[in-house]
Amino acid sequence: TADVLRKDIWSKDIKVVEEALETICIEASRGPKARAKISQFGGIMAIVRAMESHRDAEMIQVAGCNALERLALDPETQVVIGEMGGISAILDAMKSFEASAEVHQAACAALANITRHRGATDEVSDAVQVLCASMGRHPT
């Protein structure tokens, strides 16, 4: 995981970044200790920056949302995702790829986990509006 966070996720090659995000997602599935380690190594910031750097790459947005969704299984990590701009990155992905059911499915799953234990903030309110619009466009 450390190598992925040190170099792969920062690559200019979209395929390398996508694979790095998928690796983080797999590692995050291994449990709370693995998720905490990813967070401590700057993984959340790296995911958000990868999504921002590759705004026009649909699969990066999907992989980024999937990784954030897995990391958001723990309340402590949910807070960090919000603080690092993760909610904004997810909402931007949804707005950029309005017609992509895959982006919206991954984004909705991520937002559901991230907002599970958070109070009502402006960012969460914005997320609810985007989620409602997404549900209208992608009913299944």
Side-chain angles (χ1 to χ4, degrees):
T1 305
D3 284 342
V4 169
L5 292 174
R6 258 196 327 268
K7 60 179 185 174
D8 293 351
I9 202 162
W10 303 104
S11 175
K12 299 265 188 231
D13 184 333
I14 291 175
K15 193 65 182 161
V16 171
V17 175
E18 183 181 349
E19 289 172 5
L21 290 167
E22 290 170 357
T23 299
I24 292 168
C25 192
I26 291 166
E27 187 65 27
S29 298
R30 296 189 179 174
K33 288 182 182 180
R35 291 188 290 274
K37 182 178 173 184
I38 292 167
S39 180
Q40 290 167 355
F41 284 153
I44 294 168
M45 181 185 70
I47 293 164
V48 171
R49 295 300 171 259
M51 292 174 73
E52 291 172 350
S53 296
H54 302 283
R55 288 182 202 275
D56 59 342
E58 181 176 357
M59 294 316 297
I60 296 292
Q61 301 306 311
V62 171
C65 288
N66 286 337
L68 291 173
E69 182 249 335
R70 295 279 167 77
L71 287 168
L73 291 172
D74 305 308
E76 302 80 23
T77 314
Q78 293 166 1
V79 172
V80 175
I81 291 170
E83 291 173 350
M84 293 287 125
I87 294 173
S88 294
I90 293 166
L91 296 177
D92 287 346
M94 293 176 82
K95 291 173 187 171
S96 294
F97 293 96
E98 287 184 348
S100 172
E102 193 170 4
V103 168
H104 282 253
Q105 182 179 18
C108 288
L111 289 171
N113 278 356
I114 293 165
T115 60
R116 182 168 293 141
H117 298 289
R118 293 174 57 95
T121 64
D122 288 342
E123 208 170 27
V124 171
S125 297
D126 291 345
V128 170
Q129 290 177 355
V130 174
L131 282 171
C132 289
S134 176
M135 289 167 58
R137 281 191 298 277
H138 306 283
T140 56

